Amino acid sequence: MRLLAAILSLTAATHSSAQTSSGNIAAPSPTATVTAADIESVSPALNNYIAATINGDLWKRPELSPRDRSIVVLAILISTNQAVELKHHLRFAMDNGVTPKEISEIITHLAFYSGVGKATAAVVLAKEAFAERGIGPDQIPPEKPHLLPLNQEAESARVKTVAENVGPVSPGLEKFTTDLLFTDLWLRPDLAPRDRSLVTVSALIANGQVGQVGFHLNKAADGGLTKEQAGEVVLQAAFYGGWPNAFSAVPVVGEVFKNRKS
Amino acid sequence: MRLLAAILSLTAATHSSAQTSSGNIAAPSPTATVTAADIESVSPALNNYIAATINGDLWKRPELSPRDRSIVVLAILISTNQAVELKHHLRFAMDNGVTPKEISEIITHLAFYSGVGKATAAVVLAKEAFAERGIGPDQIPPEKPHLLPLNQEAESARVKTVAENVGPVSPGLEKFTTDLLFTDLWLRPDLAPRDRSLVTVSALIANGQVGQVGFHLNKAADGGLTKEQAGEVVLQAAFYGGWPNAFSAVPVVGEVFKNRKS
Amino acid sequence: MRLLAAILSLTAATHSSAQTSSGNIAAPSPTATVTAADIESVSPALNNYIAATINGDLWKRPELSPRDRSIVVLAILISTNQAVELKHHLRFAMDNGVTPKEISEIITHLAFYSGVGKATAAVVLAKEAFAERGIGPDQIPPEKPHLLPLNQEAESARVKTVAENVGPVSPGLEKFTTDLLFTDLWLRPDLAPRDRSLVTVSALIANGQVGQVGFHLNKAADGGLTKEQAGEVVLQAAFYGGWPNAFSAVPVVGEVFKNRKS
């Protein structure tokens, strides 16, 4: 029986299996968890940069709330498929006041803005984090909520532009952009339009897609994102999406706010 | 013995190990499988979008066959390293008529068009999917098949351009582009040239490399891809590679077919 | 007891757990290992390309040392989050003479040039590789080493440019670029400035960020990287970051060395 106990303990040590609500044994998380001790063992410098510079300084800058920083980081990590870091940040985002409903909507939003596979990969980790905190179906947005009202004027302008530029090349893309994104996804109420824009802008910056930052940053600014906050989003993106992507975003962010002032 | 049974059952539940053809116990898949129930638990909306919009609508549009859509999706998922979704789509591609030989060639092709590590990561999942369906060596392309004939005229033009533009900067890149890619890889017979172009174009779009879409989309069109099909490739890429990458591809796709008409 | 033995053997076969220095049982590696036999089973052609063309030809080209090629490959795999291939190349890099100190610094450097999550994901694999070779804290760079001297002239020019272009948009990004990167990270002594530039250039090429290759390639050339070596870096990037990214880098690499000559 000592051998048996040893096997059981090995199994427990290497798996941390969890009982799911359905009564089944959940599969072990396939994604590695990285601890401060792990980082210290490979790079004490990196561990210190994370503790002192990132957690001790960046996240405490008053120009952008921890909640907004977490939204930026979730968008970057999901859209660039960074599972190891995402695992930690799903939990940290909830600590910072991002609600499970908002996390659910961020994942769904990015299914379309960064590809459905990025979203399904995030689902695996979110399911784990939600189960750990006892978050049930009542804290998840309904499939078909009552949608926010559509801004008809802005939508008409968008429809016209897309009909001219996209329609002749891909009629299907024109159709789904309207039916699926702008008259459905963007109107789902459990993630505020300003936050949805923040998610979109962050994913665009982290993927080097600066050509489309202008449209979405203007939408974010319409929703209340200030110039100072936008500059801080760029800084947050430098740390989580890499310095080069942040630097590439700088001119277009500058241009957007210059044009809004005048 | 009840304890023993419990251990065995736990091991079985969490591993789903498989007996390999060599008689060894295969390692458990390191990649998470995501089910509709998983997605429903985090986002009923996303689950519905996948069931109704993606599976129920997108995949059934007559403008592009399910087989071609699967080729586009495999190229996108492999080249962007999306293991969780790729795991499902390798099997779905076979259901849609993409042969194991074609899957093998798609992976090999993308070793060069998106980096050898993207291909080796895909190998892990393809091996699993092939084993599951009893696909043996006879259904895999030979190492050195009889190559397709080379289009000497097109190749001479390509060689001249690359010699002028690439040779002075990287003689090695010039050499391997000819020896390895255009007089070897592209002539392997188990993936039709038109499909090889489709793979290349899809990977380029999903990675935001629009500058090289023109050359390869023209090759695809030479191989029979129509303007309508190309528009649908862009739509498929929107769902699996993200809307921004699809929108960035629209002008270059439009340009290619405008120039071919005249 | 035969059943028990079978369970133990199954556990051993599927886990390869390792005893850590702290005496705990380490978790199994969550990242798949891919072998030549795995690749052969899915694509004998790919297996042959890797053995003959990549290992037998590319890595033996005299224009760039195996050590430098490994630095290029580590930078590409870490910055593009390719865990399966990275697992192998961390070990291969040490075989090629890249020291654990340099690997540690490469990971720390890329925390900022490709995002902190790419670095923490690499930590998981580096910890594993270091443990396997008995590499302890004495072979890891200290948290706060004596920094290299700053090139005041070059730094003043850089500060001026960033103050003009970045400061008005993101004062935080301006601040951290100076305090964290150029007067700290870049001066850490355990990775030579020329190698740090090599890492940066490789990551930029593999991520399609050609706009910033010029600045960093000039820094690399200041540190001793020749035109011929740069051409070979582009070739190495073709194989590990994909042909399209290498082709996109060609004009900017050509431009840098044309301007340096005159």
Side-chain angles (χ1 to χ4, degrees):
Chain A
M1 286 306 287
R2 274 184 21 220
L3 192 50
L4 262 178
I7 301 164
L8 275 176
S9 127
L10 178 69
T11 307
T14 55
H15 281 303
S16 61
S17 300
Q19 192 84 17
T20 64
S21 55
S22 64
N24 296 324
I25 301 291
S29 172
T31 303
T33 303
V34 62
T35 65
D38 294 334
I39 300 171
E40 179 78 18
S41 76
V42 170
S43 172
L46 179 57
N47 200 33
N48 179 56
Y49 285 135
I50 291 173
T53 312
I54 297 183
N55 296 340
D57 187 347
L58 175 73
W59 281 86
K60 295 190 174 149
R61 289 169 62 86
E63 292 85 349
L64 194 68
S65 70
R67 176 206 175 260
D68 284 355
R69 290 183 193 274
S70 270
I71 289 179
V72 170
V73 170
L74 289 181
I76 290 172
L77 297 177
I78 294 170
S79 69
T80 58
N81 212 7
Q82 297 188 49
V84 174
E85 194 72 12
L86 179 56
K87 194 168 175 174
H88 165 66
H89 277 282
L90 284 163
R91 288 155 178 85
F92 190 48
M94 290 190 273
D95 295 342
N96 284 333
V98 184
T99 67
K101 283 191 179 177
E102 288 168 336
I103 290 176
S104 172
E105 289 295 325
I106 289 168
I107 293 172
T108 306
H109 190 85
L110 290 172
F112 303 107
Y113 278 90
S114 59
V116 68
K118 307 283 180 69
T120 54
V123 156
V124 176
L125 299 172
K127 188 190 167 197
E128 219 175 70
F130 288 174
E132 194 181 294
R133 300 201 175 190
I135 289 156
D138 57 310
Q139 285 174 271
I140 300 296
E143 182 189 312
K144 292 187 182 298
H146 192 72
L147 298 179
L148 299 173
L150 184 66
N151 177 336
Q152 279 294 357
E153 195 186 349
E155 176 61 3
S156 299
R158 192 202 57 74
V159 163
K160 190 165 173 292
T161 307
V162 172
E164 279 167 16
N165 298 319
V166 177
V169 174
S170 179
L173 186 58
E174 181 193 2
K175 171 183 138 51
F176 283 105
T177 301
T178 298
D179 297 353
L180 176 63
L181 299 195
F182 286 92
T183 63
D184 183 356
L185 182 73
W186 278 90
L187 305 179
R188 294 179 56 85
D190 288 304
L191 186 66
R194 177 263 197 196
D195 293 338
R196 226 169 255 282
S197 295
L198 191 58
V199 167
T200 312
V201 166
S202 303
L204 288 170
I205 292 174
N207 284 274
Q209 296 158 327
V210 290
Q212 290 163 56
V213 165
F215 174 78
H216 287 288
L217 187 55
N218 265 307
K219 265 177 79 92
D222 292 345
L225 193 83
T226 67
K227 178 178 184 299
E228 186 180 46
Q229 289 172 332
E232 206 67 16
V233 167
V234 172
L235 175 62
Q236 193 79 8
F239 280 93
Y240 289 89
W243 239 256
N245 282 321
F247 264 66
S248 295
V250 162
V252 65
V253 171
E255 198 65 18
V256 162
F257 284 95
K258 201 166 71 183
N259 292 337
R260 291 182 70 89
K261 262 190 208 156
S262 63
Chain B
M1 287 307 286
R2 280 200 358 236
L3 192 50
L4 263 178
I7 300 164
L8 275 176
S9 125
L10 178 70
T11 305
T14 55
H15 281 304
S16 60
S17 299
Q19 191 85 16
T20 64
S21 55
S22 65
N24 296 324
I25 302 292
S29 171
T31 303
T33 303
V34 62
T35 64
D38 293 335
I39 301 170
E40 179 78 19
S41 77
V42 169
S43 171
L46 179 57
N47 200 32
N48 179 56
Y49 284 134
I50 291 173
T53 311
I54 297 182
N55 297 339
D57 187 348
L58 176 73
W59 281 86
K60 295 189 174 149
R61 290 170 61 87
E63 291 86 349
L64 194 69
S65 70
R67 177 206 174 261
D68 284 354
R69 288 182 193 276
S70 269
I71 289 179
V72 170
V73 170
L74 289 181
I76 291 171
L77 297 177
I78 293 169
S79 69
T80 57
N81 212 7
Q82 297 189 48
V84 174
E85 194 71 11
L86 178 57
K87 194 169 175 174
H88 164 67
H89 277 281
L90 283 164
R91 289 155 178 85
F92 190 48
M94 290 191 272
D95 296 341
N96 284 334
V98 184
T99 67
K101 282 191 179 176
E102 288 168 336
I103 289 175
S104 172
E105 290 294 326
I106 289 168
I107 292 172
T108 305
H109 190 86
L110 290 172
F112 303 106
Y113 279 89
S114 59
V116 68
K118 308 283 180 70
T120 54
V123 157
V124 177
L125 299 172
K127 188 191 167 196
E128 218 177 72
F130 288 174
E132 193 182 296
R133 299 200 175 190
I135 290 157
D138 57 309
Q139 286 174 270
I140 300 297
E143 183 190 311
K144 292 187 182 298
H146 192 73
L147 298 179
L148 298 174
L150 183 66
N151 177 335
Q152 280 294 359
E153 195 186 349
E155 176 60 4
S156 299
R158 192 202 56 74
V159 163
K160 189 166 175 290
T161 307
V162 170
E164 281 167 15
N165 298 319
V166 176
V169 174
S170 180
L173 186 59
E174 180 192 3
K175 171 182 137 51
F176 282 106
T177 301
T178 298
D179 297 353
L180 177 63
L181 299 194
F182 286 93
T183 63
D184 184 356
L185 182 73
W186 277 89
L187 306 180
R188 293 179 57 85
D190 289 304
L191 186 66
R194 177 264 197 192
D195 293 339
R196 226 170 255 282
S197 295
L198 191 58
V199 166
T200 312
V201 166
S202 303
L204 289 170
I205 292 175
N207 285 275
Q209 296 157 328
V210 291
Q212 291 164 55
V213 165
F215 174 78
H216 287 287
L217 186 55
N218 266 307
K219 264 177 80 90
D222 292 345
L225 193 83
T226 66
K227 178 179 185 297
E228 186 181 47
Q229 289 171 333
E232 206 68 15
V233 167
V234 173
L235 175 62
Q236 194 78 8
F239 279 93
Y240 288 89
W243 239 256
N245 283 321
F247 263 65
S248 295
V250 162
V252 65
V253 172
E255 198 63 18
V256 163
F257 284 95
K258 201 166 69 183
N259 293 337
R260 292 182 70 88
K261 261 190 207 156
S262 61
Chain C
M1 284 307 284
R2 280 198 0 234
L3 191 52
L4 262 178
I7 301 165
L8 274 176
S9 128
L10 177 71
T11 307
T14 55
H15 281 302
S16 62
S17 299
Q19 192 84 16
T20 65
S21 56
S22 64
N24 296 324
I25 302 292
S29 172
T31 303
T33 303
V34 63
T35 65
D38 294 334
I39 300 170
E40 179 78 18
S41 76
V42 169
S43 171
L46 179 57
N47 199 33
N48 179 56
Y49 285 134
I50 291 173
T53 311
I54 297 182
N55 296 340
D57 187 348
L58 176 72
W59 281 86
K60 295 188 173 151
R61 290 169 61 86
E63 292 85 350
L64 195 68
S65 70
R67 176 205 174 262
D68 284 355
R69 288 183 194 275
S70 270
I71 289 179
V72 170
V73 170
L74 289 181
I76 290 172
L77 297 177
I78 294 170
S79 70
T80 58
N81 212 7
Q82 297 189 48
V84 174
E85 194 71 10
L86 178 57
K87 194 169 176 174
H88 165 67
H89 276 282
L90 283 163
R91 288 155 179 87
F92 190 49
M94 289 190 272
D95 296 341
N96 284 333
V98 184
T99 67
K101 280 192 180 176
E102 288 168 335
I103 290 176
S104 172
E105 288 296 325
I106 289 168
I107 292 172
T108 305
H109 190 85
L110 291 172
F112 304 107
Y113 279 89
S114 58
V116 69
K118 308 282 180 71
T120 54
V123 157
V124 176
L125 298 173
K127 189 190 167 197
E128 219 176 71
F130 287 174
E132 194 182 292
R133 300 202 174 189
I135 290 155
D138 58 309
Q139 288 175 269
I140 300 295
E143 182 189 312
K144 292 187 181 298
H146 192 73
L147 298 179
L148 299 173
L150 184 66
N151 177 335
Q152 280 293 357
E153 194 186 349
E155 177 61 5
S156 298
R158 193 203 57 74
V159 163
K160 190 166 173 289
T161 307
V162 171
E164 280 166 16
N165 299 317
V166 176
V169 174
S170 179
L173 185 59
E174 180 192 2
K175 170 183 139 49
F176 282 106
T177 301
T178 297
D179 298 352
L180 176 63
L181 300 195
F182 286 93
T183 64
D184 183 356
L185 182 72
W186 276 90
L187 306 179
R188 293 179 57 85
D190 288 304
L191 186 66
R194 177 264 197 194
D195 294 337
R196 225 169 256 284
S197 295
L198 191 58
V199 167
T200 312
V201 167
S202 303
L204 289 169
I205 292 175
N207 285 275
Q209 294 157 329
V210 290
Q212 290 163 56
V213 165
F215 174 78
H216 288 287
L217 186 55
N218 266 307
K219 264 177 81 91
D222 292 345
L225 193 82
T226 67
K227 179 179 185 297
E228 186 180 47
Q229 289 171 333
E232 207 67 16
V233 168
V234 173
L235 175 62
Q236 194 78 8
F239 279 93
Y240 289 88
W243 239 256
N245 282 321
F247 264 66
S248 295
V250 163
V252 65
V253 171
E255 199 62 19
V256 162
F257 284 95
K258 202 166 69 184
N259 292 336
R260 291 181 70 89
K261 261 190 208 155
S262 61

